Amino acid sequence: MTSHPPINADPGVEIGYPAARVAGAELTIGRDARLRSGTILYAGSRIGDRFETGHHVVVREQCEIADDVSVWSNSVIDYGCKIGAGVKIHTNCYVAQYTEIGPGAFLAPGVTIANDLYPGSAESAEVMSGPSIGAGAQLGVNVTVLPFVRIGANCLVGAGSVVTRDLPAGTVAFGNPARVRGLVGELEDISARIQPEDGSASRYRFSNGSAEEKTGLGVSVTMEVAG
């Protein structure tokens, strides 16, 4: 069952795909949704206004998705997730069951979220839980976040990091495992780190040829976040 105003949906979109876990549940969608071909929205979720998808997006059942959320091509939101207003999930992302993402957060391409600490363990399956990602947090390309982790509001997590522990609000972290390397408020202004590259589709380059930056903690930070 579905309940929604008129939707701008391409051919090949499936709205209200039956969910065996919540048989007969209703899918509700707000105003002005834009759904591109290959999108599948399972029955049993609640989705706010101005929801937008790329191609081949899957949203499973029992999710709560607020207004102005976008999910780009080939990304999956598994069941039981809660996603705040204005969240942007880029391409090829996987959001595991029972994950919470705060308003305004951003997941760059390839972010993977886990929810099972000991795969194959019945005890672990009983407490399956994704992480909580704070409002305004920014996760770089190919970041992996493990179960139970809390990422604070407005954190910045560098490309390729594996987040295995909680990160305080407003911190910069990277690495495997990700460790706090500085504060977002202390990052050097980007204009001081780049220069124009005339005639190239890649319009700017690093002034010193490197993505590394000296932080207030005296360590180098490599930050690559796709927009």
Side-chain angles (χ1 to χ4, degrees):
M1 298 176 60
T2 62
S3 173
H4 57 79
I7 289 175
N8 183 358
D10 290 349
V13 168
E14 187 158 358
I15 299 171
Y17 186 89
R21 296 179 64 257
V22 287
E26 183 177 71
L27 169 68
T28 62
I29 306 173
R31 299 180 293 106
D32 301 322
R34 175 67 176 100
L35 309 177
R36 292 178 174 83
S37 59
T39 294
I40 301 175
L41 306 181
Y42 277 60
S45 286
R46 293 185 295 172
I47 298 174
D49 295 340
R50 295 174 296 280
F51 181 63
E52 186 169 5
T53 68
H55 302 280
H56 303 289
V57 167
V58 175
V59 179
R60 291 285 304 271
E61 67 275 15
Q62 294 182 306
C63 290
E64 296 183 17
I65 299 176
D67 296 342
D68 301 304
V69 170
S70 58
V71 184
W72 296 124
S73 299
N74 302 311
S75 290
V76 175
I77 300 173
D78 223 322
Y79 61 80
C81 293
K82 184 175 182 179
I83 298 176
V87 167
K88 293 180 172 56
I89 298 173
H90 219 297
T91 57
N92 299 310
C93 293
Y94 175 68
V95 180
Q97 298 99 320
Y98 309 119
T99 294
E100 183 163 356
I101 303 176
F106 172 72
L107 276 57
V111 168
T112 299
I113 293 174
N115 65 359
D116 192 351
L117 192 62
Y118 302 145
S121 162
E123 183 180 11
S124 182
E126 285 292 322
V127 296
M128 185 180 292
S129 178
S132 174
I133 298 169
Q138 310 287 302
L139 276 58
V141 172
N142 292 328
V143 166
T144 298
V145 187
L146 296 193
F148 314 129
V149 165
R150 276 19 188 186
I151 296 177
N154 301 309
C155 281
L156 182 59
V157 183
S161 298
V162 179
V163 184
T164 64
R165 65 184 69 190
D166 294 356
L167 299 176
T171 56
V172 175
F174 79 91
N176 182 5
R179 299 186 186 278
V180 172
R181 312 286 177 161
L183 300 175
V184 171
E186 295 177 355
L187 289 171
E188 184 178 5
D189 190 87
I190 195 168
S191 64
R193 302 184 60 202
I194 59 174
Q195 63 187 42
E197 182 83 344
D198 294 338
S200 174
S202 174
R203 301 177 300 161
Y204 295 89
R205 63 179 297 168
F206 286 112
S207 302
N208 65 356
S210 173
E212 292 187 348
E213 178 201 23
K214 293 295 183 180
T215 72
L217 298 183
V219 295
S220 293
V221 171
T222 301
M223 298 308 305
E224 299 173 11
V225 177

